[in-house]
Amino acid sequence: MEHLFEAASFTGYVYPNETVFPWGVLIVIYPYLTGLVAGAFTISSLYQVFGVQSLKPVAHFALLSSLCVMLFVPTPLLLHLGHPERAFNAMLTPHVTSAMAMFSYAASFYILLLMTETWFVFREHIVHQAQHLKGIPGLFYRALTLGSYDLSEKAMHYDRKWIYALSAIGIPAACGLHGYVGFLFGSLKSREWWSSDLMPPIFLLSAIVSGTALTIVLYVVACKLRRTTVVLDCLKMMTHVLWGFLIVALVLEGLEFGSLVYKAREGIDVILQFVTGPLLVPFWIMQFSIGAVLPIFILTVMFWRKTTGRNLIIGATVCGILALFEVLMMRTNVVIGGQDISKTGKGLLSFPWVFMGREGIFAAAAVLIAPFILLLGMVRVFPPWGEEPTGREELDFTDPCAPTLAQLMVDRDLSRSEE
Amino acid sequence: MTKKESPGTCHETHDEADRGGCEIARRGFLDQLKCAVAGLAVTAAAYVLPLEGQTALGTEAASIPAIPGYDWSKHRWAYGVDATKCIGCLRCVKACKTENNVALDAHHFRTWVERYVYLDGHEKPLIDSQADPVNIAAAGTEEDYRFANRYNNDDVYKAFFVPKLCNHCTHPACVQVCPTGATFKTMDGVVLIDHNYCIGCQYCVQACPYGARFFDHVRRVTNKCTWCYHRITKGLMPACVEVCPVEARIFGDLDDKESKISQFIKNNRVQVLKPETGNGPNVFYIGLDSEVV
């Protein structure tokens, strides 16, 4: 007989049906990806809506990152579903009391919003490319113009109004989207580990942490790859955002755990046995100490010492990676950890980690990496870097006839590939 | 301009008039987009708002074909368990698996039996079910069920069995969370799953506080006890009730005052499991202990 499932081992008493975990690693990746989307969008919106000028160098890049990740958000769910071909049943015939059904609308709306905003943000570039490129690339860009070639000041002003409006709508949408993911877990009264009113804000804040950390890391990596200088003001601003949200997220997580222990409802013995046993390393050491406290400490020291230059870049990148790790561990400890604690309140299960298969670690890793491969392509199609000197070509940006920087990059890439 | 453009596009000339025309065209497009979105929203609202719990399509998808000679508006099914009578023979588990074609392993059960054993001097009971590895070892196979005599050398203070199954709740959390309405509450009080509509997300498995649902790995949908709906709608008893040798399991129609379940509830002080969840379980127990999970 085909091997259909992995059964978990357990201690104490668990219901017989609990020995097969309903949700695995893919459902860890799913809220992680939505979090990255919400966080990266927040960085973009801080510039677009609140006019935080120092974030200008990453505003469009963060938006593009957000879109790339969002396009892959449904993937882990589809891989997880028993019948992915019926996935659209949730939207075609939604069950209105289901948080999951309503979430599919929220997510779809958000994808549309991201795509629309991206179109407006890159419309100028699309039009230029449509006018300059020939062949299939030209056709591609001409299709993307949607017939709109007007780049007059009036039209651009109109575009900017739309970008502002979409960003402004996008902030509550992004917050709602990820708060809602927290609600998907927090609203389940069957599991003590999940059933908390603080779950939505915790998910939301950790989302902003992960998205900001992602933007920091991707920005530094992108600058390295493009051999351009990192704009330190921008990086510094992002580290401030990261530091602030990390602290608030950590406080909220602490409050949630504190109230769970303090209320000490039925089953608390098993929860305490869990957090001091199997969860000791993943929760206290990996998530709490290495993922949260360490980057807060490093960032605090950096702010105190007014670190700048190369040290700032290294410090910010390290803290970004640690924060990304913290949120991934938080998602794991919530999704897997919640199911480790039996609904009986009398037993603990041990999640059977598998590497291969549709719901294995490799599949989850592939889903996690895929958006960034897409991003690698997207930054070539929609260069998000703006009017940024590369230190190679001297450009006169005041000359409207001069090719855009993006055009030069495309040309350069083409000539490189010809070589 | 150096570019070559097809006639009819807005960017052929850059004079003021054309630019204005182009912008109007784009505004027109955006206005049309707004109208289309608004239209879709109204249509969607018309679909969703008049209905309670499900959309018209959801209800249709979740509806079951009419059963000849059966009117579900004339019944209100309920289940009773007399834990003081259960002897832990596990015939109910075997009968359920056979009747409902449930996977013959230790991880998929529509019904199961828990054993609570208080050893002398202990405040908390030792709990196991037929799916415990020790009991499987005693049975010699996962396809047979037995409670091993594992407390042979201990002084047992008290011990009892508790049969478990889906509680077919009045306010089922599993139905609440189902994204498609594939799982639904019938008019006669049974919670069913449309296996041709279930997407297999397992959100309902998570939501059930009783661990009554499981994922059918062959059909890739959720599965659970139906109180043998195919039997009760033909006037038969659920398989587990049918085979119980001590009448620890009672089933019947609450609308019939003389039914066994009505009499069971009338003549006993009954309890439900985890009443604090607010789900309103419809499996009524007597002989429970505070430590029953």
Side-chain angles (χ1 to χ4, degrees), chain A residues 296-364:
Chain A
I296 290 173
F297 176 74
I298 295 173
L299 288 171
T300 309
V301 170
M302 280 166 58
F303 297 151
W304 178 50
R305 299 188 61 181
K306 296 188 170 55
T307 306
T308 188
R310 190 177 158 76
N311 287 345
L312 173 66
I313 297 170
I314 294 169
T317 312
V318 168
C319 290
I321 291 168
L322 289 175
L324 281 169
F325 175 70
E326 189 264 341
V327 179
L328 183 62
M329 284 313 297
M330 179 263 182
R331 305 291 190 250
T332 311
N333 291 334
V334 168
V335 177
I336 304 293
Q339 299 172 91
D340 279 340
I341 302 168
S342 169
K343 290 173 182 174
T344 62
K346 305 274 185 190
L348 287 177
L349 293 127
S350 180
F351 181 72
W353 296 92
V354 288
F355 287 92
M356 305 308 289
R358 199 164 79 159
E359 295 202 51
I361 291 174
F362 287 137

Coordinates of all heavy atoms in Angstrom, one line a residue, chain A residues 296-364:
Chain A
I296 N 17.6 43.0 18.8 CA 17.2 44.3 19.5 C 18.5 44.8 20.2 O 18.8 46.0 20.2 CB 16.1 44.0 20.5 CG1 14.8 43.7 19.8 CG2 15.9 45.2 21.5 CD1 13.6 43.3 20.7
F297 N 19.2 43.9 20.8 CA 20.5 44.3 21.5 C 21.5 44.9 20.5 O 22.0 46.0 20.8 CB 21.1 43.1 22.2 CG 22.4 43.4 22.9 CD1 22.4 44.1 24.1 CD2 23.6 42.9 22.4 CE1 23.6 44.4 24.7 CE2 24.8 43.2 23.0 CZ 24.8 43.9 24.2
I298 N 21.7 44.2 19.4 CA 22.7 44.7 18.4 C 22.3 46.1 17.9 O 23.1 47.0 17.8 CB 22.8 43.7 17.3 CG1 23.4 42.4 17.8 CG2 23.7 44.3 16.1 CD1 23.4 41.3 16.7
L299 N 21.0 46.2 17.6 CA 20.5 47.5 17.0 C 20.6 48.6 18.0 O 21.0 49.7 17.7 CB 19.0 47.3 16.5 CG 18.8 46.5 15.3 CD1 17.3 46.2 15.0 CD2 19.4 47.2 14.0
T300 N 20.3 48.3 19.3 CA 20.4 49.3 20.3 C 21.8 49.8 20.5 O 22.1 51.0 20.5 CB 19.9 48.7 21.7 OG1 18.6 48.1 21.5 CG2 19.8 49.8 22.7
V301 N 22.7 48.8 20.5 CA 24.2 49.2 20.6 C 24.6 50.1 19.3 O 25.3 51.1 19.5 CB 25.0 47.9 20.7 CG1 26.5 48.3 20.6 CG2 24.8 47.2 22.0
M302 N 24.1 49.6 18.2 CA 24.4 50.4 17.0 C 23.9 51.8 17.0 O 24.5 52.8 16.6 CB 23.8 49.7 15.7 CG 24.7 48.5 15.3 SD 23.8 47.4 14.1 CE 23.4 48.6 12.8
F303 N 22.6 52.0 17.5 CA 22.0 53.3 17.6 C 22.8 54.2 18.6 O 23.1 55.3 18.4 CB 20.6 53.3 18.0 CG 19.7 52.6 17.0 CD1 18.5 51.9 17.5 CD2 20.0 52.6 15.7 CE1 17.7 51.3 16.5 CE2 19.2 51.9 14.8 CZ 18.0 51.3 15.2
W304 N 23.2 53.5 19.7 CA 23.9 54.2 20.8 C 25.2 54.7 20.4 O 25.7 55.8 20.6 CB 24.0 53.2 22.0 CG 24.7 53.7 23.2 CD1 24.5 54.9 23.8 CD2 25.8 53.1 23.9 NE1 25.4 55.1 24.9 CE2 26.2 54.0 24.9 CE3 26.4 51.8 23.8 CZ2 27.2 53.6 25.8 CZ3 27.4 51.5 24.7 CH2 27.8 52.4 25.7
R305 N 25.9 53.8 19.6 CA 27.3 54.1 19.1 C 27.2 54.9 17.8 O 28.3 55.2 17.2 CB 28.1 52.9 19.0 CG 28.2 52.1 20.3 CD 29.2 51.0 20.1 NE 30.5 51.5 19.8 CZ 31.6 50.7 19.5 NH1 31.4 49.4 19.7 NH2 32.7 51.2 19.2
K306 N 26.0 55.2 17.3 CA 25.9 55.9 16.1 C 26.7 55.2 14.9 O 27.4 55.9 14.2 CB 26.3 57.4 16.2 CG 25.4 58.2 17.2 CD 25.7 59.6 17.1 CE 24.7 60.5 17.9 NZ 24.5 60.1 19.3
T307 N 26.5 54.0 14.9 CA 27.3 53.2 13.9 C 26.8 53.6 12.5 O 25.6 53.7 12.2 CB 27.0 51.7 14.1 OG1 27.3 51.4 15.4 CG2 27.8 50.8 13.2
T308 N 27.8 53.7 11.6 CA 27.4 54.0 10.2 C 28.4 53.3 9.3 O 29.3 52.5 9.8 CB 27.4 55.5 10.0 OG1 26.9 55.8 8.7 CG2 28.8 56.2 10.2
G309 N 28.2 53.6 8.0 CA 29.2 53.0 7.0 C 29.1 51.5 6.9 O 28.0 50.9 7.1
R310 N 30.2 50.8 6.7 CA 30.2 49.4 6.5 C 29.6 48.6 7.7 O 28.9 47.6 7.5 CB 31.7 49.0 6.3 CG 31.9 47.6 5.8 CD 33.4 47.3 5.6 NE 33.6 45.9 5.6 CZ 33.3 45.1 4.7 NH1 32.7 45.5 3.6 NH2 33.6 43.8 4.8
N311 N 30.0 49.1 8.9 CA 29.4 48.4 10.1 C 27.9 48.5 10.2 O 27.3 47.5 10.6 CB 30.0 49.0 11.4 CG 31.5 48.6 11.6 OD1 32.0 47.7 10.9 ND2 32.2 49.4 12.4
L312 N 27.4 49.6 9.8 CA 25.9 49.7 9.8 C 25.3 48.7 8.8 O 24.3 48.0 9.1 CB 25.5 51.1 9.3 CG 24.0 51.3 9.1 CD1 23.2 51.2 10.4 CD2 23.7 52.7 8.5
I313 N 25.9 48.6 7.6 CA 25.4 47.6 6.6 C 25.5 46.2 7.2 O 24.5 45.4 7.1 CB 26.2 47.7 5.3 CG1 26.0 49.1 4.7 CG2 25.8 46.7 4.3 CD1 27.0 49.5 3.5
I314 N 26.6 45.8 7.7 CA 26.8 44.5 8.3 C 25.8 44.2 9.4 O 25.1 43.2 9.4 CB 28.3 44.2 8.8 CG1 29.2 44.3 7.6 CG2 28.4 42.9 9.5 CD1 30.7 44.3 7.9
G315 N 25.8 45.2 10.3 CA 24.9 45.1 11.5 C 23.4 44.9 11.1 O 22.7 44.1 11.6
A316 N 23.0 45.8 10.2 CA 21.6 45.8 9.7 C 21.3 44.5 9.0 O 20.2 43.9 9.2 CB 21.3 47.0 8.8
T317 N 22.2 44.0 8.2 CA 22.0 42.7 7.5 C 21.9 41.6 8.5 O 20.9 40.7 8.3 CB 23.1 42.5 6.5 OG1 23.3 43.7 5.7 CG2 22.7 41.3 5.5
V318 N 22.8 41.5 9.4 CA 22.7 40.4 10.4 C 21.4 40.5 11.2 O 20.7 39.5 11.3 CB 23.9 40.5 11.4 CG1 23.8 39.6 12.6 CG2 25.2 40.2 10.6
C319 N 21.0 41.7 11.6 CA 19.8 41.8 12.4 C 18.6 41.5 11.5 O 17.6 40.9 12.0 CB 19.6 43.2 12.9 SG 20.8 43.6 14.2
G320 N 18.7 41.8 10.2 CA 17.6 41.5 9.3 C 17.4 40.0 9.2 O 16.3 39.4 9.3
I321 N 18.6 39.3 9.0 CA 18.5 37.8 8.9 C 18.0 37.2 10.2 O 17.2 36.3 10.2 CB 19.9 37.3 8.6 CG1 20.3 37.7 7.1 CG2 20.0 35.8 8.7 CD1 21.8 37.5 6.8
L322 N 18.5 37.8 11.3 CA 18.0 37.2 12.6 C 16.5 37.4 12.8 O 15.8 36.5 13.3 CB 18.8 37.9 13.8 CG 20.2 37.5 13.9 CD1 20.9 38.3 15.0 CD2 20.4 36.0 14.2
A323 N 16.0 38.6 12.4 CA 14.6 38.9 12.5 C 13.8 38.0 11.6 O 12.7 37.5 12.0 CB 14.3 40.4 12.2
L324 N 14.3 37.8 10.4 CA 13.6 36.8 9.5 C 13.5 35.4 10.1 O 12.5 34.8 10.0 CB 14.3 36.8 8.1 CG 14.1 37.9 7.2 CD1 15.1 37.9 6.0 CD2 12.7 37.9 6.6
F325 N 14.6 35.1 10.7 CA 14.7 33.8 11.4 C 13.7 33.7 12.6 O 13.0 32.7 12.8 CB 16.1 33.5 11.9 CG 16.3 32.3 12.7 CD1 16.2 31.0 12.1 CD2 16.5 32.3 14.1 CE1 16.3 29.9 12.8 CE2 16.7 31.2 14.8 CZ 16.6 29.9 14.2
E326 N 13.6 34.8 13.3 CA 12.7 34.9 14.5 C 11.3 34.7 14.0 O 10.5 33.9 14.6 CB 12.8 36.3 15.2 CG 12.1 36.3 16.5 CD 10.7 36.9 16.4 OE1 10.3 37.6 15.5 OE2 9.9 36.7 17.4
V327 N 10.9 35.3 13.0 CA 9.5 35.2 12.5 C 9.2 33.8 12.0 O 8.1 33.3 12.2 CB 9.1 36.3 11.5 CG1 7.7 36.2 11.1 CG2 9.3 37.7 12.2
L328 N 10.2 33.3 11.3 CA 10.0 31.9 10.8 C 9.8 30.9 11.9 O 9.0 30.0 11.9 CB 11.2 31.5 9.9 CG 11.0 30.1 9.2 CD1 9.8 30.0 8.3 CD2 12.3 29.8 8.5
M329 N 10.6 31.1 13.0 CA 10.5 30.3 14.2 C 9.2 30.5 14.9 O 8.6 29.5 15.4 CB 11.7 30.5 15.1 CG 13.0 29.9 14.7 SD 12.9 28.2 14.2 CE 12.4 27.4 15.7
M330 N 8.8 31.7 14.9 CA 7.5 32.1 15.5 C 6.3 31.3 14.8 O 5.5 30.7 15.4 CB 7.3 33.6 15.5 CG 6.0 34.0 16.2 SD 4.7 34.3 14.9 CE 3.4 34.9 15.9
R331 N 6.4 31.4 13.5 CA 5.3 30.7 12.7 C 5.4 29.2 13.0 O 4.3 28.6 13.1 CB 5.5 31.0 11.2 CG 5.6 32.4 10.8 CD 4.2 33.1 11.0 NE 4.2 34.4 10.3 CZ 4.2 35.6 11.0 NH1 4.2 35.6 12.3 NH2 4.2 36.7 10.4
T332 N 6.6 28.7 13.0 CA 6.7 27.2 13.3 C 6.2 26.9 14.6 O 5.4 25.9 14.8 CB 8.2 26.8 13.2 OG1 8.8 27.4 12.0 CG2 8.4 25.3 13.1
N333 N 6.6 27.7 15.6 CA 6.2 27.3 17.0 C 4.7 27.5 17.2 O 4.1 26.9 18.0 CB 7.0 28.2 18.0 CG 8.4 27.8 18.0 OD1 8.8 26.7 17.7 ND2 9.3 28.8 18.4
V334 N 4.1 28.4 16.4 CA 2.6 28.6 16.5 C 1.9 27.4 15.8 O 1.1 26.7 16.4 CB 2.2 29.9 15.9 CG1 0.7 30.0 15.8 CG2 2.6 31.1 16.9
V335 N 2.3 27.2 14.5 CA 1.5 26.3 13.7 C 1.8 24.8 14.1 O 0.9 24.1 14.4 CB 1.9 26.5 12.2 CG1 1.1 25.4 11.3 CG2 1.5 27.8 11.7
I336 N 3.1 24.5 14.2 CA 3.4 23.1 14.6 C 3.2 22.9 16.1 O 2.6 22.0 16.6 CB 4.9 22.8 14.2 CG1 5.1 23.0 12.7 CG2 5.2 21.3 14.6 CD1 4.3 22.0 11.8
G337 N 3.7 23.9 16.9 CA 3.6 23.9 18.3 C 2.2 23.7 18.8 O 1.9 22.9 19.7
G338 N 1.3 24.5 18.2 CA -0.1 24.4 18.6 C -0.7 23.0 18.4 O -1.5 22.6 19.2
Q339 N -0.2 22.3 17.4 CA -0.7 20.9 17.2 C 0.0 19.9 18.0 O -0.4 18.8 18.1 CB -0.6 20.6 15.7 CG -1.4 21.5 14.8 CD -1.2 21.3 13.3 OE1 -1.8 20.5 12.7 NE2 -0.2 22.0 12.8
D340 N 1.2 20.3 18.5 CA 2.0 19.4 19.4 C 1.2 19.2 20.7 O 1.3 18.1 21.3 CB 3.4 19.9 19.7 CG 4.3 19.7 18.5 OD1 4.1 18.8 17.7 OD2 5.4 20.4 18.4
I341 N 0.5 20.2 21.1 CA -0.3 20.1 22.3 C -1.6 19.5 22.0 O -2.4 20.0 21.3 CB -0.5 21.5 23.0 CG1 0.9 22.1 23.2 CG2 -1.2 21.4 24.3 CD1 0.8 23.6 23.6
S342 N -1.9 18.3 22.6 CA -3.1 17.6 22.3 C -4.3 18.4 22.8 O -4.3 19.1 23.8 CB -3.1 16.2 23.0 OG -4.4 15.6 22.9
K343 N -5.4 18.2 22.1 CA -6.7 18.8 22.5 C -7.2 18.2 23.8 O -8.1 18.8 24.4 CB -7.7 18.6 21.4 CG -7.5 19.4 20.1 CD -8.5 19.0 19.0 CE -8.2 19.7 17.7 NZ -9.0 19.2 16.6
T344 N -6.7 17.1 24.2 CA -7.1 16.5 25.4 C -6.6 17.3 26.6 O -7.1 17.2 27.7 CB -6.6 15.0 25.6 OG1 -5.2 15.1 25.6 CG2 -7.1 14.2 24.4
G345 N -5.5 18.0 26.4 CA -4.8 18.7 27.5 C -4.1 17.8 28.4 O -3.7 18.1 29.5
K346 N -3.9 16.5 27.9 CA -3.3 15.5 28.7 C -2.1 14.8 28.0 O -1.6 13.8 28.5 CB -4.3 14.4 29.1 CG -5.6 14.9 29.7 CD -5.4 15.0 31.2 CE -6.7 15.3 31.9 NZ -6.5 15.6 33.3
G347 N -1.8 15.3 26.9 CA -0.7 14.7 26.1 C 0.0 15.6 25.2 O -0.4 16.7 24.9
L348 N 1.2 15.2 24.8 CA 2.0 15.9 23.8 C 2.4 15.1 22.6 O 2.7 13.9 22.8 CB 3.3 16.4 24.5 CG 3.2 17.5 25.5 CD1 4.6 17.8 26.1 CD2 2.7 18.8 24.8
L349 N 2.3 15.7 21.4 CA 2.7 14.9 20.2 C 4.0 15.4 19.7 O 4.4 16.6 20.1 CB 1.6 15.1 19.1 CG 0.2 14.5 19.5 CD1 -0.9 15.5 19.3 CD2 0.0 13.3 18.5
S350 N 4.6 14.7 18.9 CA 5.9 15.1 18.3 C 5.8 15.1 16.8 O 5.6 14.1 16.2 CB 7.0 14.1 18.8 OG 8.2 14.5 18.3
F351 N 5.8 16.3 16.2 CA 5.6 16.4 14.8 C 6.6 15.6 14.0 O 7.8 15.8 14.2 CB 5.7 17.9 14.4 CG 5.5 18.2 12.9 CD1 4.2 18.1 12.4 CD2 6.5 18.5 12.1 CE1 3.9 18.3 11.1 CE2 6.3 18.7 10.7 CZ 5.0 18.6 10.2
P352 N 6.1 14.8 13.1 CA 7.1 14.0 12.3 C 7.6 14.8 11.1 O 6.9 15.0 10.1 CB 6.2 12.8 11.8 CG 4.8 13.3 11.8 CD 4.7 14.5 12.7
W353 N 8.8 15.3 11.2 CA 9.4 16.1 10.1 C 9.8 15.2 9.0 O 10.5 14.2 9.2 CB 10.7 16.8 10.6 CG 10.4 17.8 11.7 CD1 10.4 17.6 13.0 CD2 10.0 19.2 11.5 NE1 10.1 18.8 13.7 CE2 9.8 19.7 12.8 CE3 9.8 20.0 10.4 CZ2 9.4 21.1 13.0 CZ3 9.4 21.3 10.6 CH2 9.2 21.8 11.9
V354 N 9.3 15.6 7.8 CA 9.7 14.8 6.6 C 10.3 15.7 5.6 O 10.0 16.9 5.5 CB 8.5 14.0 6.0 CG1 8.0 12.9 6.8 CG2 7.4 15.0 5.7
F355 N 11.3 15.2 4.8 CA 12.0 16.0 3.9 C 11.4 16.0 2.5 O 11.2 17.0 1.8 CB 13.5 15.6 3.8 CG 14.2 16.1 5.0 CD1 14.4 15.2 6.1 CD2 14.8 17.3 5.1 CE1 15.0 15.6 7.2 CE2 15.4 17.8 6.2 CZ 15.6 16.9 7.3
M356 N 11.0 14.8 2.1 CA 10.5 14.7 0.7 C 9.0 14.7 0.7 O 8.3 14.7 1.7 CB 11.0 13.3 0.1 CG 12.5 13.1 0.2 SD 13.4 14.5 -0.5 CE 13.0 14.3 -2.3
G357 N 8.4 14.7 -0.5 CA 7.0 14.7 -0.7 C 6.3 16.0 -0.8 O 7.0 17.1 -0.6
R358 N 5.0 16.0 -1.1 CA 4.3 17.2 -1.3 C 4.3 18.2 -0.2 O 4.3 19.4 -0.3 CB 2.9 16.9 -1.7 CG 2.2 18.0 -2.4 CD 0.9 17.5 -3.1 NE -0.2 17.3 -2.2 CZ -1.5 17.3 -2.5 NH1 -1.8 17.4 -3.8 NH2 -2.4 17.2 -1.7
E359 N 4.3 17.6 1.0 CA 4.3 18.5 2.2 C 5.6 18.4 3.0 O 5.6 18.6 4.2 CB 3.1 18.2 3.1 CG 1.8 18.5 2.4 CD 0.6 18.7 3.3 OE1 0.8 19.5 4.3 OE2 -0.4 18.1 3.1
G360 N 6.7 18.1 2.3 CA 8.0 17.9 3.0 C 8.7 19.2 3.1 O 8.3 20.3 2.6
I361 N 9.8 19.2 3.8 CA 10.6 20.4 4.0 C 11.2 20.9 2.7 O 11.2 22.2 2.4 CB 11.8 20.1 5.0 CG1 11.2 19.9 6.4 CG2 12.8 21.2 5.0 CD1 12.2 19.4 7.4
F362 N 11.6 20.1 1.7 CA 12.1 20.5 0.4 C 11.0 21.3 -0.4 O 11.3 22.3 -1.0 CB 12.6 19.3 -0.4 CG 13.9 18.8 0.2 CD1 14.1 17.4 0.2 CD2 14.9 19.6 0.6 CE1 15.3 16.9 0.8 CE2 16.1 19.1 1.1 CZ 16.3 17.8 1.2
A363 N 9.8 20.8 -0.3 CA 8.7 21.4 -1.1 C 8.5 22.8 -0.4 O 8.3 23.8 -1.1 CB 7.4 20.6 -1.0
A364 N 8.5 22.9 0.9 CA 8.3 24.1 1.6 C 9.4 25.1 1.3 O 9.1 26.3 1.1 CB 8.2 23.9 3.1

